[in-house]
Amino acid sequence: LINVVAISSTIGAFAAITNTGSVIAWGYSGYGGVVPSTLTGNVIAIASTGYAFAALKSDGSVVTWGDSDFGGDSSNVSNLLVDVISIASTEVAFAALKRDGSVVTWGNILGGGDSSSVSNSLNGGIISISSTSGAFAALKSDGSVVTWGNLSANPIPTSGLSGEIIAIASTGYAFAAFKQNTVPTHVPIEVNLNIEVTANGEIQILSGSVPLVDNVVIANVSLPVECLYDKSANIGRLTFATTHYRDWE
């Protein structure tokens, strides 16, 4: 194995892409250990389920191999697998994103291979696809999200996903949607307090208070950055620097 630029795997095999676009596979043949004769080169990426591989070629076509029940057989959608720009996968199914923003799926129907229930929402406008072990979540250009697959094991909330989503992350069993209006920004605030020191050494605030920003009390106040204290008069002034996190607007 030389000149390898990327390696993918199923549960029983590996597939490596070389710098010439050719593919080398090894491992259990039933799970993708043997490269099909139709895969002759120009491969730019390989996605995998637990049991099959899907190779994306530079011309936007896709070649699949491995267990036919879990994504290795894409013959039912082969005429649709053109102009593909990326491929996502669950443990048992694939989802290909096409240049026109539409999505093509194949593989086990219980793990995302059947997207017929949301097909009208996947015919354009998709900009990215995320996945868990059994479900897909497609982000649309209008900030909405389309989900399908084993949602009983990967429940998707019906509220809060109508728009303003800018990215989706996932674990094996859950999704997290990143909304535009929750990107934290820092608002520096200066807090000035006039104080005196009591007989027992405690600081007492004479005037000044912690301000409200967006109706939220600023709680994370740092150590004083300036302390002016007149011991003879027993009065002083503390200046704090703090940072408030607010929604991105």
Side-chain angles (χ1 to χ4, degrees):
L1 291 178
I2 58 174
N3 299 321
V4 171
V5 296
I7 299 176
S8 299
S9 66
T10 63
I11 65 170
F14 291 100
I17 306 174
T18 71
N19 60 2
T20 63
S22 62
V23 174
I24 303 168
W26 66 99
Y28 176 53
S29 60
Y31 293 160
V34 177
V35 178
S37 59
T38 54
L39 190 59
T40 56
N42 300 316
V43 173
I44 58 175
I46 297 178
S48 63
T49 64
Y51 311 89
F53 293 107
L56 175 60
K57 302 184 69 174
S58 57
D59 62 359
S61 63
V62 175
V63 177
T64 61
W65 71 100
D67 193 311
S68 59
D69 292 330
F70 301 113
D73 181 3
S74 57
S75 58
N76 288 337
V77 294
S78 59
N79 62 317
L80 301 175
L81 291 176
V82 294
D83 292 327
V84 173
I85 58 175
S86 65
I87 303 173
S89 64
T90 63
E91 190 68 16
V92 293
F94 292 105
L97 176 59
K98 300 181 64 172
R99 192 174 304 279
D100 63 2
S102 63
V103 175
V104 180
T105 60
W106 70 98
N108 186 276
I109 61 175
L110 298 178
D114 179 10
S115 57
S116 58
S117 62
V118 292
S119 59
N120 290 339
S121 300
L122 296 177
N123 56 13
I126 305 300
I127 58 175
S128 66
I129 303 174
S130 300
S131 64
T132 63
S133 60
F136 291 104
L139 176 61
K140 304 197 72 171
S141 56
D142 62 1
S144 61
V145 177
V146 183
T147 59
W148 70 98
N150 184 9
L151 301 183
S152 60
N154 303 271
I156 305 298
T158 58
S159 61
L161 294 178
S162 58
E164 297 184 337
I165 305 300
I166 58 174
I168 300 173
S170 64
T171 65
Y173 302 95
F175 293 104
F178 195 25
K179 297 191 72 173
Q180 181 178 0
N181 65 352
T182 55
V183 177
T185 57
H186 305 280
V187 181
I189 300 166
E190 188 177 89
V191 181
N192 292 305
L193 303 175
N194 293 314
I195 57 95
E196 70 174 5
V197 180
T198 65
N200 60 6
E202 294 180 352
I203 294 177
Q204 179 177 334
I205 298 174
L206 297 178
S207 64
S209 61
V210 177
L212 296 178
V213 177
D214 299 337
N215 294 319
V216 177
V217 175
I218 307 306
N220 296 324
V221 178
S222 67
L223 292 174
V225 295
E226 182 181 26
C227 180
L228 301 176
Y229 176 62
D230 184 343
K231 185 176 180 181
S232 61
N234 193 27
I235 59 174
R237 184 179 187 86
L238 291 175
T239 299
F240 295 86
T242 184
T243 300
H244 169 60
Y245 290 87
R246 64 184 298 175
D247 289 346
W248 181 29
E249 299 175 346

